Amino acid sequence: MTIEASFIIPVVIIGVFVCLLGLILVYERGYILSKETRALYTIPLVDIRNKEVEGYLNSQDYTGAVVLGSAEVEGSASSSKASCDGSIHLFGSSDIASSREIDVRVDRLRRWQFYGDTYEKYGD
């Protein structure tokens, strides 16, 4: 019983603690990834037309539920692609990245690919 109390129980407690830290890290990565994806897919059309996508992405708050450590997210945009690059600093650095095509013509083409057959069937 002495061996159990002095060796096995501390190992079990440390194992549980490490598992909890891992779960917190996975939660924070998932939360920031979901906020990045939401920001990328809710860019207002006015910002896309005025080429203010980068300003919109950088104005969003991505770190609302960060429990431990710190997080940084930086948005960037080119003529046809928007992306968010983030990192979590907790016992090192963990990178998170999301991107999306933002060209209006691409969105219209995809809509046409999804609904084109329906329109041809019921159009006339």
Side-chain angles (χ1 to χ4, degrees):
M1 189 160 182
T2 305
I3 295 173
E4 179 182 339
S6 63
F7 292 113
I8 297 174
I9 297 299
V11 170
V12 169
I13 291 173
I14 290 171
V16 168
F17 182 71
V18 168
C19 287
L20 287 175
L21 284 177
L23 287 173
I24 289 172
L25 180 63
V26 168
Y27 167 74
E28 289 179 355
R29 281 181 54 89
Y31 178 79
I32 291 178
L33 182 63
S34 70
K35 293 295 271 188
E36 285 179 355
T37 305
R38 181 182 172 113
L40 286 170
Y41 282 92
T42 58
I43 300 171
L45 190 57
V46 173
D47 289 339
I48 294 173
R49 288 182 180 157
N50 295 335
K51 301 198 184 306
E52 299 172 353
V53 175
E54 189 170 343
Y56 173 78
L57 291 174
N58 288 327
S59 69
Q60 300 295 313
D61 180 29
Y62 300 99
T63 60
V66 174
V67 179
L68 295 175
S70 64
E72 300 171 347
V73 177
E74 182 179 330
S76 63
S78 66
S79 62
S80 64
K81 186 177 182 180
S83 63
C84 290
D85 298 320
S87 62
I88 294 178
H89 306 287
L90 176 70
F91 306 120
S93 181
S94 178
D95 296 329
I96 307 160
S98 300
S99 64
R100 173 189 176 219
E101 294 177 353
I102 57 169
D103 192 5
V104 176
R105 290 172 292 195
V106 173
D107 291 337
R108 288 183 184 159
L109 177 60
R110 287 194 180 134
R111 232 176 303 163
W112 173 79
Q113 287 171 343
F114 287 130
Y115 300 114
D117 294 338
T118 307
Y119 177 76
E120 290 174 4
K121 240 186 250 184
Y122 302 109
D124 292 325

